[in-house]
């Protein structure tokens, strides 16, 4: 069908590269640190000619987006996932005039430094998936970055102080009321920042993880 004679509307023309994985290692003599992340990028262009006419001259290839993540991580490091997400958004918007909106999703692997004899090891790490940290950054041309962050996959379990009672009791329910039972669930949480200036993103995330985990005690010991 001839697109010039067919009425249609493109609602979402964003495109990008998903699952860009990298591990950055920083070495200061014998003391090393690591940061492993997985990045998704999504760009929206001012033109739709790639969709309407198969013209790719404005399109930043997904291969280029992947390599941009690697290059910026090598050049600037990864202070926090939120800071790196804002860096990526600013880069795509400032380098390519045809890009009018950028969305970046980053997830961080929960590596922690191993301890040996009560002391932190210089170069050995262990995966401790209490919760997975992530962030989303969106920025439009000439706009400020919008940052949200969160955690997923926090598995919690209580062996007491959890009840199952007073639900609708009809022919479809089989579980009886119980004043005490074992309770387990997987927790996810997300929050938004109203500013990014002077924010200690690591401290905020740690405080929120501690606060959410502490909610499971129900105020009793």
């Amino acid at each position: 069908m001839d697109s010039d004679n067919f009425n249609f509307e493109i609602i979402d023309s964003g495109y990008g590269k998903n699952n860009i994985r990298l591990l950055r290692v920083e070495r200061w003599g014998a003391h090393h640190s690591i940061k492993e992340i997985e990045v998704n990028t999504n760009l929206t262009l001012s033109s739709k000619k790639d969709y309407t006419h198969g013209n790719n001259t404005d399109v930043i290839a997904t291969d280029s987006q992947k390599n941009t993540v690697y290059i910026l991580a090598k050049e600037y490091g990864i202070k926090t996932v939120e800071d790196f997400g804002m860096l990526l958004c600013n880069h795509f918007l400032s380098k390519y005039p045809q890009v009018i909106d950028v969305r970046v999703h980053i997830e961080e692997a929960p590596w922690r430094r191993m301890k040996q004899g009560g002391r932190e090891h210089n170069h050995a790490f262990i995966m401790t998936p209490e919760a997975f940290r992530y962030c989303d950054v969106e920025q439009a041309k000439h706009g400020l970055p919008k940052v949200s962050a969160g955690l997923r996959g926090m598995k919690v379990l209580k062996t007491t102080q959890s009840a199952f009672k007073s639900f609708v009791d009809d022919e479809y329910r089989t579980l009886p009321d119980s004043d005490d039972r074992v309770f387990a669930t997987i927790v996810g949480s997300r929050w938004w920042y109203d500013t990014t200036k002077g924010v200690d993103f690591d401290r905020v995330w740690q405080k929120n993880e501690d606060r959410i985990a502490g909610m499971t005690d129900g105020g009793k010991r």
Side-chain angles (χ1 to χ4, degrees), residues 17 20-22 37-41 62-75 77-78 84 87-88 91-92 104 106:
K17 181 70 173 178
I20 307 168
R21 297 185 63 184
L22 71 89
I37 61 173
E38 186 170 304
V39 182
N40 298 343
T41 59
T62 56
D63 176 67
S64 302
Q65 295 182 43
K66 175 194 67 177
N67 292 333
T68 297
V69 172
Y70 294 146
I71 291 170
L72 293 186
K74 181 178 181 180
E75 185 173 354
I78 306 169
F84 191 61
L87 176 68
L88 286 169
H91 170 84
F92 285 119
V104 174
I106 306 178

Side-chain angles (χ1 to χ4, degrees), residues 75-91:
E75 185 173 354
Y76 295 100
I78 306 169
K79 181 181 178 182
T80 68
V81 290
E82 293 86 355
D83 288 308
F84 191 61
M86 289 189 288
L87 176 68
L88 286 169
C89 285
N90 181 70
H91 170 84

Side-chain angles (χ1 to χ4, degrees), residues 45 133 148 186:
L45 308 181
R133 176 178 177 175
S148 64
I186 301 176

Side-chain angles (χ1 to χ4, degrees), residues 82 133-136 147-151 189-193 205:
E82 293 86 355
R133 176 178 177 175
Y134 71 87
C135 80
D136 289 282
V147 180
S148 64
L151 60 85
S189 179
R190 185 181 183 186
W191 53 91
W192 286 259
Y193 292 94
W205 192 89

Side-chain angles (χ1 to χ4, degrees), residues 10-42:
I10 298 176
I11 302 299
D12 185 357
S13 61
Y15 74 102
K17 181 70 173 178
N18 288 348
N19 310 119
I20 307 168
R21 297 185 63 184
L22 71 89
L23 173 69
R24 178 179 170 84
V25 181
E26 295 188 358
R27 298 179 174 90
W28 297 279
H31 188 80
H32 301 171
S33 67
I34 64 171
K35 184 88 71 171
E36 182 183 355
I37 61 173
E38 186 170 304
V39 182
N40 298 343
T41 59
N42 186 283

Side-chain angles (χ1 to χ4, degrees), residues 97-164:
Q98 69 270 34
V99 175
I100 60 172
D101 187 83
V102 183
R103 300 181 184 184
V104 174
H105 175 84
I106 306 178
E107 185 166 304
E108 181 177 349
W111 290 104
R112 290 187 181 177
R113 191 175 299 277
M114 290 181 65
K115 290 187 177 182
Q116 188 176 51
R119 299 178 61 185
E120 290 189 338
H121 200 284
N122 279 335
H123 56 262
F125 303 84
I126 186 169
M127 179 76 76
T128 55
E130 293 179 0
F132 290 85
R133 176 178 177 175
Y134 71 87
C135 80
D136 289 282
V137 183
E138 180 179 2
Q139 187 172 2
K141 182 78 78 177
H142 308 305
L144 296 174
K146 300 177 181 177
V147 180
S148 64
L151 60 85
R152 69 166 186 84
M154 177 186 282
K155 297 181 180 180
V156 296
L157 183 147
K158 296 176 61 174
T159 56
T160 188
Q161 297 179 4
S162 175
F164 180 90

